[in-house]
Amino acid sequence: MIESDTIYALATPVPSRAHPGAISVIRLSGPRATDALIFLTEPRAFERGRSAREPALPASRRLALRTVLDPLSGEAIDRGLVVWFEAPNSETGETMAELHLHGGRAVVGGALEAIRRLGFCRLAEPGEFTRRAFEHGKLDLTEAEAIADLVAAETDQQRKLALQQMDGALHRLYEDWRTLGLRTLAHLEAAIDFPDEDLPPGIADEVRAGITQLGAEIAAHLDDRRGERLRQGLSIAIIGPTNAGKSSLLNLLARREAAIVSETAGTTRDVIEVHLDLGGWPVVLADTAGLRASSDAIEQEGVRRAKARATAADFRLLVLDASADWQSELQALTAATERWDPARDIVVVNKIDLASVEDPGVVSLSATSGTGLPELLARLTFTRRE
Ligand SMILES: Nc1nc2c(ncn2[C@@H]2O[C@H](COP(=O)(O)OP(=O)(O)OP(=O)(O)O)[C@@H](O)[C@H]2O)c(=O)[nH]1
Ligand SMILES: [Mg+2]
């Protein structure tokens, strides 16, 4: 392994005046991480040029309370916990050190500057700690990806999936494919290289079966978009005639005035997206323009976008107005909507405060008062788990 630089970086968010942290963690990784730790905690060690493994170093993997100081002036920067890990038993596989300091701007700024002044450490590039862990065989690419997913996870379900992947679920699947591929290849090569030998009968069938199985498993895996949906969010399109209350429903689910609501038919033109956490599942909910024939070019474009979004969405919420002739609208719209699936898509009849609706096949709602919202949420949860 090539001798690498010793790198350092703040591992926690940059403290600001508005958001100082209780604690900030600075990590160092590389052959001189413990030298740095000694020079930052032992008065005058830097000028005397003491090297690692002297008594100033606490036992590895044990937190120790130390005064962190400027290596040149000896001035104290903070008092905090320090710890170090001996290579290769560390996250990166290299010698690592951590400083757990108070999360103020001056403390963190002072400590980073002190490490820079040592002259033998450099700031890590983005992702460089993970890269080193990968290069030292501490994690594979599926696990590195899982860590990125875990850090980016905003909902419970996203976190669970990332953790599974970090535990090697994907790694094991790919390993199984590799084993199957290698075995099939070995059989095939044996049949080619030793055609005259007495190979077990049926070897050609085995090769064919192996290839078919591998192809089918990979195709099924690529088809399964659950992981992708969980990462990007399930997409739900709200569609329906003008003035039915689509934007009102979006605002109700988003719990904020994300879209303009007005009694003017044709208010919404663009697709308006909000990102929601519905029971642990990430959802991208899109409000769209009301579907109607219009001579206005902008509204026509809005309707075109609404239809495109309805087609692309994982499923659709069709919103109708209880005080209008919603049954005929329902028939016309479901017939005209591409990919309409009665088992998956949901019909919401809104404004039940104006006219009552007795139909077990639809969710009845009042977007203004919130009546019927629990039933709608229950339906949404059910649909997602299907
Ligand atoms: N009484 C009653 N009025 C509602 C309800 N939901 C929405 N409205 C009203 O219906 C009108 C239209 O609501 P929007 O949410 O803008 O309807 P939309 O479907 O987004 O309309 P477009 O964007 O024009 O297609 C507004 O005046 C709302 O206040 C409801 O449950 N009951
Ligand atoms: Mg609208």
Side-chain angles (χ1 to χ4, degrees):
M1 185 52 59
I2 307 158
E3 186 84 330
S4 63
D5 298 344
T6 297
I7 55 172
Y8 67 102
L10 182 63
T12 44
V14 179
S16 63
R17 186 181 304 155
H19 301 286
I23 289 175
S24 281
V25 177
I26 295 173
R27 290 191 299 177
L28 299 100
S29 179
R32 300 201 65 189
T34 42
D35 286 352
L37 191 54
I38 290 174
F39 295 144
L40 289 164
T41 54
E42 178 73 4
R44 288 178 304 283
F46 191 57
E47 59 195 51
R48 292 206 307 267
R50 271 164 66 160
S51 61
R53 308 217 154 275
E54 300 222 2
L57 215 51
S60 73
R61 315 177 80 84
R62 294 287 170 111
L63 285 166
L65 184 64
R66 290 283 188 277
T67 299
V68 174
L69 38 86
D70 184 296
L72 300 183
S73 67
E75 191 193 342
I77 295 166
D78 189 13
R79 237 168 116 68
L81 294 172
V82 302
V83 62
W84 68 282
F85 304 87
E86 198 162 5
N89 298 317
S90 74
E91 191 195 334
T92 58
E94 301 176 325
T95 301
M96 285 187 77
E98 289 180 7
L99 309 174
H100 297 228
L101 305 169
H102 292 101
R105 286 202 295 173
V107 170
V108 170
L112 290 172
E113 172 62 12
I115 300 173
R116 190 191 65 76
R117 290 171 77 178
L118 291 170
F120 56 79
C121 299
R122 71 165 169 81
L123 263 178
E125 313 271 345
E128 199 172 359
F129 282 87
T130 307
R131 185 191 181 94
R132 289 189 174 195
F134 171 70
E135 281 169 353
H136 291 100
K138 288 284 163 178
L139 40 85
D140 66 20
L141 284 179
T142 63
E143 288 159 332
E145 188 185 55
I147 291 175
D149 282 354
L150 187 64
V151 174
E154 289 184 357
T155 72
D156 287 349
Q157 299 299 335
Q158 287 176 317
R159 188 200 67 229
K160 282 180 190 156
L161 188 80
L163 264 183
Q164 267 175 23
Q165 187 168 329
M166 219 161 81
D167 281 348
L170 210 52
H171 173 85
R172 282 191 292 278
L173 179 70
Y174 295 165
E175 248 338 284
D176 287 350
W177 287 348
R178 201 173 80 93
T179 311
L180 180 60
L182 281 176
R183 201 175 59 218
T184 309
L185 194 64
H187 285 158
L188 184 62
E189 286 178 354
I192 293 169
D193 289 348
F194 311 106
D196 308 329
E197 312 256 330
D198 277 345
L199 291 169
I203 200 158
D205 290 344
E206 234 173 84
V207 167
R208 218 166 289 134
I211 293 172
T212 313
Q213 188 190 340
L214 196 57
E217 282 182 17
I218 293 174
H221 183 69
L222 290 175
D223 261 1
D224 182 354
R225 292 184 50 232
R226 268 178 307 181
E228 185 188 323
R229 288 215 184 95
L230 203 47
R231 202 175 283 152
Q232 297 175 350
L234 197 69
S235 102
I236 307 179
I238 303 179
I239 56 168
T242 52
N243 241 348
K246 299 179 296 300
S247 302
S248 305
L249 175 57
L250 178 91
N251 292 348
L252 181 68
L253 289 169
R255 296 201 213 105
R256 64 186 172 91
E257 302 301 308
I260 301 173
V261 166
S262 90
E263 67 273 14
T264 313
T267 300
T268 307
R269 303 293 180 83
D270 269 329
V271 175
I272 296 170
E273 283 186 350
V274 297
H275 293 251
L276 301 177
D277 174 348
L278 285 184
W281 298 82
V283 164
V284 183
L285 188 66
D287 180 26
T288 63
L291 301 170
R292 68 168 176 184
S294 166
S295 53
D296 178 325
I298 299 170
E299 191 172 353
Q300 281 171 5
E301 174 59 16
V303 170
R304 192 193 65 74
R305 290 181 187 202
K307 288 179 175 163
R309 178 53 71 106
T311 307
D314 292 314
F315 66 91
R316 289 142 281 271
L317 287 179
L318 173 53
V319 181
L320 300 163
D321 183 344
S323 64
D325 182 6
W326 64 268
Q327 279 99 339
S328 340
E329 301 250 27
L330 173 63
Q331 284 193 338
L333 281 171
T334 52
T337 303
E338 267 178 68
R339 298 185 57 211
W340 180 264
D341 175 359
R344 206 171 158 69
D345 298 322
I346 299 174
V347 177
V348 178
V349 182
N350 185 37
K351 307 197 188 182
I352 50 162
D353 50 300
L354 300 182
S356 68
V357 170
E358 304 294 335
D359 186 335
V362 305
V363 177
S364 45
L365 179 81
S366 169
T368 42
S369 74
T371 311
L373 181 64
E375 290 74 17
L376 175 61
L377 287 173
R379 257 310 288 279
L380 281 169
T381 315
F382 179 68
T383 307
R384 279 196 311 280
R385 299 250 163 91
E386 264 174 4

